[in-house]
Amino acid sequence: MNLNVIPNIKHSTSTNFFLLAGPCAIEGEEMAMKIAEHILKVTTKLNIPFIFKGSFKKANRSRIDSFTGIGDEKALKILQKVSETFCIPTVTDIHDVNDAKKAAEYVDVLQIPAFLVRQTDLVVAAAKTGKVVNLKKGQFMSPSAMKHAVQKVKDSGNEKVWITDRGTMFGYQDMIVDFRGIPEMQQYAPVILDVTHSLQQPNQSSGVTGGRPDMIETIARAGVVNNVNGLFLETHFDPTNAKSDGANMLDLKYLENLLSNLVAIRKTINSFSN
């Protein structure tokens, strides 16, 4: 994993996993700053390299009346302010080719949503910005299939690419993580485990995605034990009232305890390698 591509962790000597964390969507400046400040305090204490996550818009909603954002430029400027205020890099999702150049002016990492990871024009547009490209593994794709998505980025002249596993569809309304995929995909790029989206329960009859946040630590522990490079999680100080994906988010008050446990596990795992 080449950390030089991320500004605030390029000098880190941490053997910890790195962390992409934040709310599902940017709901406003105050909430974004509050969440970022809290996560940074915890990750600094635990020596975990941290990238703040927040979607500037949500394009893949189940219902037409679902929250999609506060306005593209307004949300992107909030992400930029988070980065400048706390000296941390940021990541956001893009959904169409025009988003790539627009978002690249404000953030450090462009994330391709799982549903769109086979969209060649979108992946190439992200790669050509020169930013880090985080490819979410499609719920419908095998780990080995991700080598082709990674190769699209590299063939576009960008070696800065990650893969994020977010579970595989298990029936109509559940996800399952195949941990065999971690070492397989690490042959192609650094691998991140999305421990909150992996616990989604989509396609609910209400049109609102469900989830199992009580299983977050179980999935995260398994990822750390299996030497995943990074973890991804969505967190909010009030998940019940979050405007997107609240059902599978981690309550921010539990973050420090979770990460402390995971750091201890990684330290133990590292001792077996020495």
Side-chain angles (χ1 to χ4, degrees), residues 50-74:
F50 166 48
I51 303 159
F52 179 76
K53 183 269 169 187
S55 296
F56 76 94
K57 69 177 177 182
K58 300 299 297 182
N60 54 339
R61 301 290 82 194
S62 297
R63 299 184 344 197
I64 197 168
D65 60 346
S66 296
F67 175 79
T68 58
I70 59 173
D72 293 0
E73 187 174 5
K74 183 177 180 180

Side-chain angles (χ1 to χ4, degrees), residues 158-170:
N158 189 342
E159 295 290 321
K160 297 177 290 188
V161 56
W162 303 336
I163 300 169
T164 294
D165 194 342
R166 49 96 73 240
T168 301
M169 286 300 297
F170 187 71

Side-chain angles (χ1 to χ4, degrees), residues 167-260:
T168 301
M169 286 300 297
F170 187 71
Y172 288 114
Q173 295 177 326
D174 210 355
M175 299 283 181
I176 191 166
V177 178
D178 182 354
F179 290 95
R180 298 173 299 176
I182 293 174
E184 183 168 4
M185 291 187 292
Q186 284 174 327
Q187 298 176 67
Y188 321 131
V191 174
I192 301 160
L193 178 60
D194 182 341
V195 299
T196 47
H197 287 105
S198 293
L199 294 165
Q200 278 188 335
Q201 295 178 317
N203 303 320
Q204 300 295 313
S205 59
S206 65
V208 179
T209 297
R212 288 291 305 276
D214 56 303
M215 298 294 290
I216 287 173
E217 184 154 358
T218 299
I219 296 295
R221 285 185 177 206
V224 170
V225 166
N226 285 287
N227 289 308
V228 75
N229 299 92
L231 293 175
F232 176 111
L233 64 86
E234 290 184 341
T235 184
H236 196 287
F237 49 81
D238 187 10
T240 301
N241 292 306
K243 294 184 181 296
S244 179
D245 282 2
N248 53 270
M249 278 191 193
L250 178 73
D251 193 311
L252 198 60
K253 66 185 178 184
Y254 300 127
L255 182 69
E256 183 168 358
N257 182 65
L258 170 66
L259 293 180
S260 295

